[in-house]
Amino acid sequence: MVGYPESLTDPSYRGQILVLTYPLIGNYGVPSHDEMDPLLKDLPAYFESNQIHVAGLVVGQASAEFSHHLANSSLGDWLKREGIPALYGVDTREVTKRIREEGVMLGKILFPTSVVGAGQQAEGVLAEYQDVAWVDPNATNLVAEVSCTQPKTYSPTPETALKRADGRTIRIVAVDIGMKYNQIRCFVKRGVELVVVPWDYDFLTEADNIDGLFLSNGPGDPTTITATIDRVRQALAMKKFPIFGICLGHQVLALASGAQTEKMKYGNRGQNIPCTDMLTGRCYITSQNHGYAVKADTLPATIKELFINANDGSNEGIYHTELPYFSVQFHPESAPGPRDTEVLFDIFIGTVQRCLTSGQVSGPVEFPGMAEAAARKAQAAQWELDLADDDESADKAGRIVRGRRIRKVLVLGSGGLSIGQAGEFDYSGSQAIKALKEEGIYTVLINPNIATIQTSKGLADKCYFLPVTPDCVRK
């Protein structure tokens, strides 16, 4: 529905045919390419690179009419200017089902020869269409196609600049392996000087002038960029500066640490993918776009999982237990998507400042909530010990909360009984019941609305179709 200007210009999509499942695309048009970012000056304000990187676009319904205060052209006109083939009127949900069954696959978009002219004709039922050769984007070094060719420095405003003890602005070197512009914005607006270098640039020759190393997102198979992996491996051994990676940069850091990656059957792409913080147990909604993943069972002993995908259990982040190195598979810079995890940029910059102040590059990255989570875990363990002396015949089901074993919960699940209200209450109630049952807690539901999910057979352990009134609740 939203975010197509950012997604189409995301270098991570290089060489891919992008299928958007939302039924209506293009209704808010496309912003101007001539309006520059007020902070970065020579970069466009509303895009993630200087061109469209997808090989093709497929949508269910394309809107020819658009309305938005930033709109400068239609989506269709933009695609034409960039020479990107696109289709609309396609049942994209059916395409999604096919991918779900078969996995990510190669594809190509063909047009009738009556429209595009003569050329190599396809065979069989597509004989009237102009054929094109099959291209496997993962068989090529896509990073070399999207990376910058020369180093470039982006400086913060004097008012926001973060200074070292010697007066120089803190300098982060960013290896561009498909970097989105919003990553540059996230660093510069936080007061650091960002030096963006090409994917095969030898940044180790300038190690004494680097305060932190950042590995960007990017497209394709991470094992194809051996030059980058080798230099990061050397940087890890040097222990001269903190390191932070995102997306492809996460995979590069893992490979440089001795782990392995694998191609996923589907990949994870979207703006609302949940990830669980392994240190605190908190779940974040993230923006993602990747077809490869780090194999968690190949991580060395000093590297631990930082995040996992709450949907498929795949690895979404790692951290070093002794040194300030960490990375995430998702996109904390968003654009598009939620900004829930943008705080990771603050954590990285804070880690750089800590190392500069102490004069030592040592100790793991300190994440918010770690101490509190550890304290809660220790308290829960103590409660388990305190209750271990329960009578052997006592029911050990349920969950211990603040020193008490909770075995049964009464859920008041009514809420709105009119169209437009019942859905929200029903969803929250049914999710509460599911969560309680996962903890082994017996659930008793009172809900007079029979037309709800939460009153479905087998969800709550016991259900009473009664009004939610004081009398009924007491009974």
Side-chain angles (χ1 to χ4, degrees):
M1 179 173 63
V2 297
Y4 53 82
E6 295 92 340
S7 294
L8 295 179
T9 54
D10 180 352
S12 295
Y13 278 116
R14 183 76 171 189
Q16 300 180 34
I17 297 176
L18 182 60
V19 180
L20 302 179
T21 56
Y22 190 78
L24 181 62
I25 298 296
N27 57 316
Y28 66 95
V30 178
S32 170
H33 286 72
D34 298 327
E35 187 171 345
M36 296 293 108
D37 190 287
L39 180 62
L40 305 180
K41 308 303 182 183
D42 60 345
L43 297 183
Y46 305 111
F47 300 92
E48 291 307 298
S49 69
N50 59 5
Q51 67 179 98
I52 297 177
H53 286 284
V54 300
L57 179 66
V58 179
V59 302
Q61 181 180 352
S63 176
E65 303 294 329
F66 58 90
S67 177
H68 193 276
H69 69 100
L70 294 176
N72 181 259
S73 70
S74 69
L75 173 60
D77 289 341
W78 182 34
L79 293 168
K80 290 176 184 177
R81 287 198 305 271
E82 299 254 355
I84 304 299
L87 295 176
Y88 68 90
V90 176
D91 185 350
T92 54
R93 301 300 175 97
E94 182 61 33
V95 175
T96 302
K97 288 171 62 178
R98 180 68 61 87
I99 294 175
R100 183 184 300 137
E101 295 168 358
E102 304 295 335
V104 175
M105 62 192 76
L106 293 179
K108 52 185 175 180
I109 298 175
L110 305 182
F111 292 94
T113 54
S114 60
V115 175
V116 295
Q120 181 180 352
Q121 289 185 314
E123 299 178 354
V125 296
L126 300 176
E128 298 179 357
Y129 288 78
Q130 186 185 67
D131 199 10
V132 294
W134 288 102
V135 176
D136 183 358
N138 293 314
T140 61
N141 186 346
L142 296 173
V143 170
E145 299 178 12
V146 300
S147 176
C148 62
T149 56
Q150 296 292 331
K152 185 167 184 176
T153 301
Y154 297 90
S155 300
T157 60
E159 299 79 19
T160 62
L162 299 177
K163 300 293 185 178
R164 294 165 30 117
D166 59 7
R168 176 171 67 79
T169 302
I170 291 177
R171 178 178 299 137
I172 304 295
V173 168
V175 182
D176 178 6
I177 47 180
M179 193 172 193
K180 292 169 61 180
Y181 286 162
N182 207 43
Q183 292 172 0
I184 303 176
R185 299 184 190 104
C186 284
F187 277 112
V188 177
K189 74 180 183 182
R190 285 171 168 79
V192 301
E193 178 183 88
L194 192 71
V195 182
V196 181
V197 301
W199 71 280
D200 56 352
Y201 185 83
D202 188 2
F203 55 84
L204 296 176
T205 59
E206 306 167 10
D208 291 336
N209 295 317
I210 297 176
D211 299 319
L213 179 65
F214 174 69
L215 309 172
S216 80
N217 67 293
D221 185 346
T223 60
T224 62
I225 50 175
T226 54
T228 308
I229 296 170
D230 289 341
R231 288 197 177 95
V232 173
R233 184 180 294 113
Q234 295 176 56
L236 293 172
M238 292 171 68
K239 304 177 183 178
K240 291 184 71 72
F241 37 73
I243 301 176
F244 175 34
I246 288 176
C247 192
L248 183 60
H250 161 65
Q251 298 163 11
V252 168
L253 181 63
L255 289 167
S257 300
Q260 300 174 17
T261 58
E262 61 183 343
K263 183 171 175 57
M264 306 177 76
K265 183 176 181 180
Y266 311 110
N268 283 311
R269 298 174 177 87
Q271 302 178 31
N272 60 346
I273 298 176
C275 289
T276 302
D277 182 342
M278 299 300 289
L279 298 177
T280 66
R282 181 175 177 180
C283 187
Y284 295 88
I285 301 301
T286 66
S287 177
Q288 299 196 16
N289 173 24
H290 62 274
Y292 288 81
V294 173
K295 297 176 67 175
D297 58 358
T298 66
L299 292 171
T302 54
I303 304 292
K304 302 296 183 183
E305 285 194 284
L306 179 57
F307 291 93
I308 63 169
N309 190 295
N311 288 334
D312 61 16
S314 60
N315 176 263
E316 293 281 358
I318 58 175
Y319 71 101
H320 199 289
T321 58
E322 301 172 0
L323 294 166
Y325 309 146
F326 76 107
S327 60
V328 293
Q329 182 63 73
F330 51 82
H331 287 262
E333 82 286 351
S334 61
R339 301 172 61 182
D340 300 30
T341 55
E342 194 174 311
V343 67
L344 292 175
F345 288 94
D346 298 298
I347 293 172
F348 176 57
I349 295 172
T351 301
V352 172
Q353 290 177 302
R354 171 174 64 83
C355 293
L356 288 173
T357 301
S358 66
Q360 295 181 336
V361 180
S362 61
V365 176
E366 298 175 359
F367 297 96
M370 285 180 59
E372 294 84 352
R376 289 195 300 269
K377 186 175 181 180
Q379 180 64 78
Q382 183 60 48
W383 285 334
E384 288 283 2
L385 291 175
D386 293 343
L387 295 176
D389 295 331
D390 284 355
D391 186 271
E392 292 186 2
S393 62
D395 183 6
K396 300 296 179 67
R399 179 173 180 175
I400 297 173
V401 179
R402 297 187 180 278
R404 296 177 56 199
R405 189 179 296 279
I406 305 300
R407 299 186 177 91
K408 184 181 294 186
V409 169
L410 176 63
V411 179
L412 306 182
S414 179
L417 299 180
S418 61
I419 295 176
Q421 295 179 340
E424 295 182 19
F425 289 103
D426 187 26
Y427 178 81
S428 58
S430 59
Q431 293 301 307
I433 294 170
K434 289 179 181 179
L436 291 168
K437 293 189 70 173
E438 287 178 0
E439 298 293 341
I441 298 174
Y442 189 92
T443 56
V444 178
L445 171 67
I446 298 179
N447 190 336
N449 189 348
I450 62 173
T452 59
I453 298 298
Q454 61 188 265
T455 55
S456 299
K457 183 178 180 181
L459 195 57
D461 293 294
K462 200 168 190 64
C463 182
Y464 293 93
F465 294 103
L466 296 171
V468 182
T469 63
D471 287 341
C472 289
V473 172
R474 279 193 293 267
K475 293 178 181 179

